[in-house]
């Protein structure tokens, strides 16, 4: 369902303002809600001239580093198929490179210590060589693998080569057959096809343009080669929002969107991190995932709010502009303000059999409350202290989903008559009264009891 005309008009106005104030030759954008593209906008012309062809939602733009997210998903698909482990060192799969000791997880999360860029000519503006030429160039690690976050285009060139070794075809063919074709992303390609925007630079002090080159990045192409349109990139945003069409398990997508390494800028509180292929943002306590992209002549952004799947995609044909720094956040904010997401009505759907688990419990002398929300058992308040949700894992068995207790087992221990004695949470005993002498408290209960 498309957005209301008033909301669409405000989005159109914000996009037009960004194009004018940012001196963008053209800019296109889309809003995704419920897995569908509910608004799309385009301002400017594909060549930046007033008489040029207007940009529209079938105009291709280079997405730059958003390409890395497709490579990352394909690597995780290999992991899920049992063909590799994220703790494997790169050299176990692709021998003979200077960064072979980095693990696959470290390369995916930009913690492999690999160089940010290649040596020699600027790879983003010059045709790229093959893999052998890349590894023969001076690409020694900058840091010990695993030490810190260090954004690395070279690392994703390596991951593209990993896909080629495992599949026996080019990395782009892997992405096309495993992701683009199944998702119907027919306008996402490695080189511009059909209607495409011209890559342009805008002079910083005058309203004149400079044409940027377009080329094949060779071994570095997995770091930023793909071109796309608003509807295609919106489909990828819906994928990130959970509509994976069965191409990736929900647990795997969630794993990719966990903050693996913080992007720690000196002197600044951290608001950004990197997962496995995806960038992550913490905006006033709300989590977003996606990726930014830039190549000479182009800027792009994809951002999805993880709690509800609302997303935004933005692309422009300009090498640099401050206009895109806040545009994605502003467009999503306008949608939330003008068209809040539908609220599902509450209805009684709980399991009465779980009533024996709810209420007050004690760990030592501390007190917590258990309640049932949907299919989850909730101890305390998730996000506070050691509060956590627990998912059912079998008869009288649960597993933690949040914080300190993520992945930890919770077991309901019963008396011979079948009534609940206590909860055993990874060796912590929760009893109905503090230090219940009948609940097998570790270390025992003092004979004097409470006195």
């Amino acid at each position: 369902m498309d957005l209301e005309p008033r909301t669409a008009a405000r989005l159109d106005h914000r996009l037009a303002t960004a194009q004018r104030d940012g001196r963008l030759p053209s800019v296109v954008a889309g809003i995704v809600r419920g897995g569908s593209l509910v608004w799309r906008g385009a301002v400017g012309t594909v060549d930046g001239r007033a008489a040029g062809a207007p940009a529209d939602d079938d105009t291709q733009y280079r997405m730059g580093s958003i390409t890395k997210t497709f490579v990352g998903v394909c690597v995780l698909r290999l992991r899920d198929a049992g063909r590799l482990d994220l703790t494997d060192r790169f050299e176990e799969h692709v021998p003979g490179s200077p960064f072979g000791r980095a693990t696959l997880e470290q390369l995916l999360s930009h913690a492999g210590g690999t160089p940010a860029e290649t040596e020699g000519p600027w790879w983003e503006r010059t045709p790229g060589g093959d893999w052998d030429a890349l590894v023969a160039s001076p690409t020694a690690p900058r840091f010990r693998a695993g030490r810190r976050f260090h954004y690395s285009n070279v690392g994703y060139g390596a991951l593209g080569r990993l896909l080629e070794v495992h599949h026996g075809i080019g990395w782009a063919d892997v992405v096309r057959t495993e992701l683009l074709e199944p998702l119907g992303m027919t306008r996402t390609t490695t080189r511009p096809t059909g209607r495409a925007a011209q890559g342009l630079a805008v002079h910083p002090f005058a309203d004149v343009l400079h044409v940027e080159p377009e080329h094949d990045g060779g071994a570095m192409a997995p770091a930023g080669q793909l071109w796309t349109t608003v509807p295609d990139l919106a489909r990828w945003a819906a994928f990130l929002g959970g509509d994976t069409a069965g191409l990736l398990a929900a647990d795997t997508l969630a794993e990719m969107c966990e903050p693996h390494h913080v992007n720690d800028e000196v002197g600044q509180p951290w608001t950004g991190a990197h997962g496995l292929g995806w960038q992550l943002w913490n905006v006033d306590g709300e989590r977003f995932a996606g990726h930014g992209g830039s190549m000479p002549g182009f800027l792009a952004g994809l951002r999805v709010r993880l709690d509800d799947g609302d997303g935004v995609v933005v692309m422009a044909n300009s090498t640099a502009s401050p206009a895109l720094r806040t545009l994605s956040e502003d467009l999503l904010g306008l949608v939330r303000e003008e068209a809040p997401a539908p609220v599902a009505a509450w209805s009684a759907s709980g399991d009465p059999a779980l009533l024996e688990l709810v209420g007050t419990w004690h760990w030592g002398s501390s007190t917590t409350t258990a309640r049932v929300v949907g299919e989850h058992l909730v101890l305390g308040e998730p996000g506070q202290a050691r509060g956590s949700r627990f998912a059912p894992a079998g008869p009288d068995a649960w597993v933690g989903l949040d914080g300190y207790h993520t992945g930890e087992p919770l077991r309901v221990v019963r008396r011979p008559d079948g009534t609940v004695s206590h909860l055993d949470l990874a060796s912590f005993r929760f009893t109905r009264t503090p230090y219940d002498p009948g609940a097998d408290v570790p270390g025992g209960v003092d004979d004097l009891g409470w006195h």
Side-chain angles (χ1 to χ4, degrees):
M1 179 183 296
D2 290 344
L3 299 176
E4 293 291 331
R6 170 186 162 87
T7 306
R10 291 196 63 188
L11 293 169
D12 291 339
H13 183 268
R14 179 65 184 89
L15 192 66
T17 301
Q19 191 269 345
R20 180 198 64 194
D21 295 350
R23 298 192 304 136
L24 298 169
S26 68
V27 60
V28 294
I31 294 291
V32 175
R33 170 167 282 182
S36 298
L37 182 60
V38 296
W39 170 83
R40 62 194 77 187
V43 184
T45 60
V46 296
D47 63 0
R49 305 293 180 183
D56 60 21
D57 63 8
D58 191 47
T59 303
Q60 280 190 322
Y61 292 76
R62 199 167 186 177
M63 70 170 74
S65 288
I66 300 174
T67 301
K68 294 179 174 74
T69 65
F70 293 85
V71 173
V73 168
C74 286
V75 172
L76 267 294
R77 281 172 53 86
L78 281 173
R79 192 283 305 274
D80 287 356
R83 298 175 61 181
L84 53 80
D85 193 283
L86 296 185
T87 60
D88 293 347
R89 296 191 186 278
F90 182 67
E91 63 191 7
E92 297 175 40
H93 301 270
V94 185
S97 76
F99 28 84
R101 292 191 59 77
T103 68
L104 303 184
E105 185 275 338
Q106 289 165 349
L107 291 175
L108 285 163
S109 59
H110 297 280
T114 49
E117 313 293 348
T118 61
E119 297 286 344
W122 184 2
W123 72 269
E124 293 180 336
R125 295 188 95 250
T126 56
D130 61 14
W131 173 252
D132 290 339
L134 177 62
V135 298
S137 65
T139 52
R142 304 293 193 230
F143 304 98
R144 169 180 53 80
R147 173 185 168 186
R148 56 166 295 163
F149 174 87
H150 181 65
Y151 192 89
S152 175
N153 287 300
V154 174
Y156 269 79
L159 291 170
R161 181 58 179 168
L162 174 81
L163 295 181
E164 295 178 338
V165 168
H166 271 278
H167 290 276
I169 56 177
W171 74 273
D173 292 323
V174 177
V175 169
R176 176 177 53 80
T177 57
E178 294 210 340
L179 299 175
L180 302 181
E181 289 179 351
L183 293 174
M185 296 174 64
T186 59
R187 291 286 284 135
T188 301
T189 56
T190 53
R191 304 293 292 276
T193 60
R195 187 181 184 88
Q198 171 67 59
L200 296 168
V202 180
H203 195 284
F205 305 118
D207 292 340
V208 294
L209 304 173
H210 191 284
V211 174
E212 295 277 24
E214 187 278 323
H215 62 275
D216 185 343
M220 289 297 294
Q225 184 74 35
L226 292 178
W227 293 66
T228 194
T229 62
V230 165
D232 269 24
L233 195 56
R235 180 63 188 91
W236 192 234
F239 180 100
L240 176 57
D243 183 7
T244 65
L247 301 177
L248 195 70
D251 287 348
T252 299
L253 181 59
E255 179 185 3
M256 295 186 76
C257 293
E258 293 172 356
H260 286 245
H261 288 275
V262 170
N263 183 5
D264 186 20
E265 298 290 344
V266 174
Q268 298 294 325
W270 84 267
T271 56
H274 219 287
L276 300 176
W278 298 100
Q279 286 181 275
L280 307 169
W281 297 275
N282 178 10
V283 181
D284 296 329
E286 285 190 308
R287 293 294 176 93
F288 295 80
H291 214 287
S294 66
M295 290 292 284
F298 293 96
L299 297 168
L302 181 161
R303 185 174 292 208
V304 171
R305 192 163 48 230
L306 291 177
D307 64 351
D308 61 11
D310 279 3
V312 59
V313 297
V314 176
M315 293 181 287
N317 59 331
S318 177
T319 298
S321 174
L324 266 67
R325 292 176 185 169
T326 62
L327 182 57
S328 293
E329 189 173 333
D330 289 349
L331 293 174
L332 271 182
L334 277 173
V335 173
R336 170 171 280 189
E337 177 186 337
E338 288 282 328
V343 177
W346 176 88
S347 63
S349 57
D351 182 358
L354 297 178
L355 289 175
E356 60 184 344
L357 303 182
V358 303
T360 302
W361 292 92
H362 300 274
W363 170 54
S365 57
S366 66
T367 301
T368 191
T369 301
R371 64 189 191 279
V372 175
V373 180
E375 65 172 5
H376 297 142
L377 180 67
V378 183
L379 278 181
E381 291 296 331
Q384 299 180 22
R386 295 187 178 182
S388 183
R389 298 170 303 145
F390 295 82
D396 285 336
W398 304 75
V399 63
L401 300 177
D402 308 292
Y404 186 86
H405 295 302
T406 301
E408 298 294 340
L410 184 150
R411 183 169 58 94
V412 179
V413 180
R414 297 184 179 274
R415 303 181 184 92
D417 64 1
T419 59
V420 175
S421 169
H422 58 275
L423 306 179
D424 187 319
L425 173 53
S427 81
F428 293 123
R429 298 288 168 83
F430 287 79
T431 57
R432 285 299 193 183
T433 60
Y435 291 120
D436 181 355
D440 189 24
V441 175
V445 175
D446 190 90
D447 291 340
L448 293 178
W450 292 97
H451 62 280

